[in-house]
Amino acid sequence: MAPPLKHILCIDDEEDILHVLRLALSDIGGFTVTTLTSSADAVARSCVIQPDLILLDVMMPGMDGRTTFAALREQPALANVPMVFMTARVQPHEVDEYLGLGATGVIRKPFDPVRVADEITALWNHYHAHRS
Amino acid sequence: MPIDHSAIAEKMEALRAPYRAWLATDMVPYLADARTHYGAPGFDEERLMFLVHRLKGTGATYGYNAISLQAAPLHDALSDGGADIQTIHTMLTGLMTACEQATQP
């Protein structure tokens, strides 16, 4: 059985998206939510924040989602933290690419604020079911 | 604990209001200007691409599906770079109209 998902770190350069994610994941999902708008900031601070799961935008200026993903994975404290990409690019070959990098799953943008907490919970449970 | 749907709707509306204001005061005039100047020397296509990408990602998330639907093909056309100016103008008009409609009460 999966441990309870409590703390989600959301990384997206668009504050409009982070506002809705906070509402969706905190008010609807009941999770603790930390948001960051800078991927560099995320790389520097994620191991201190110690999230249970990281939700990561793919298209960001400067360090994009893939590069950020790799930089986060290199940190021992984050090596086993499931990471989920958020993107509008969800063609099968694109999803395969994200999963190939080691992502736990993909949330399609634009997302439904009412359903996104359930989608993330399902990915969390799937991750732990396959881990054990 | 059960979800208080009316409180959620109220909070979502509190987020939508400034989003609509941003559409009205920033995006609609910007898209009108982009429609006029797209293709002209010095036009900042990177900024257009950034804002169209933002509209594509945020429109439907804020409940305005038409914005994302209009922005997605425009973003693809700008990324591919193969579309002619008239096609881009038509797409910009569609996106601007969707933004205008979202700002209507």
Side-chain angles (χ1 to χ4, degrees), chain A residues 88-101:
Chain A
R89 298 191 177 276
V90 288
Q91 294 294 317
H93 71 278
E94 291 166 328
V95 172
D96 286 347
E97 185 208 333
Y98 307 135
L99 298 179
L101 290 172

Side-chain angles (χ1 to χ4, degrees), chain A residues 15-97:
Chain A
E15 291 199 28
D16 294 335
I17 293 290
L18 292 176
H19 291 322
V20 180
L21 273 176
R22 185 177 283 283
L23 173 71
L25 299 178
S26 178
D27 292 61
I28 299 176
F31 304 117
T32 298
V33 176
T34 301
T35 59
L36 292 175
T37 54
S38 150
S39 44
D41 208 13
V43 172
R45 292 178 54 198
S46 291
C47 62
V48 179
I49 293 167
Q50 293 188 311
D52 297 320
L53 181 144
I54 296 174
L55 195 53
L56 181 60
D57 183 30
V58 171
M59 280 187 74
M60 292 189 284
M63 194 187 291
D64 71 3
R66 294 174 185 81
T67 311
T68 307
F69 180 96
L72 293 171
R73 267 286 176 264
E74 278 178 8
Q75 301 184 29
L78 302 171
N80 293 315
V81 173
M83 293 194 225
V84 174
F85 277 120
M86 278 186 303
T87 179
R89 298 191 177 276
V90 288
Q91 294 294 317
H93 71 278
E94 291 166 328
V95 172
D96 286 347
E97 185 208 333

Side-chain angles (χ1 to χ4, degrees), chain B residues 29-39 43 48 89 92:
Chain B
Y30 170 77
L31 291 169
D33 187 67
R35 198 175 48 169
T36 304
H37 295 104
Y38 181 80
F43 179 80
L48 174 62
H89 281 191
L92 281 167

Side-chain angles (χ1 to χ4, degrees), chain A residues 13-17 19-20 23 27-28 57 59 88-89 109-111 113, chain B residues 3 8 11-12 15 19 50 53-54 56-58 60-62 68 75 79:
Chain A
D13 62 301
E14 292 178 25
E15 291 199 28
D16 294 335
I17 293 290
H19 291 322
V20 180
L23 173 71
D27 292 61
I28 299 176
D57 183 30
M59 280 187 74
R89 298 191 177 276
K109 272 183 161 183
F111 58 86
Chain B
I3 296 167
I8 299 290
K11 285 185 180 180
M12 191 65 208
L15 293 177
Y19 184 75
F50 169 77
H53 174 255
R54 185 172 172 187
K56 176 176 135 183
T58 55
T61 298
Y62 275 77
S68 292
H75 188 260
S79 303

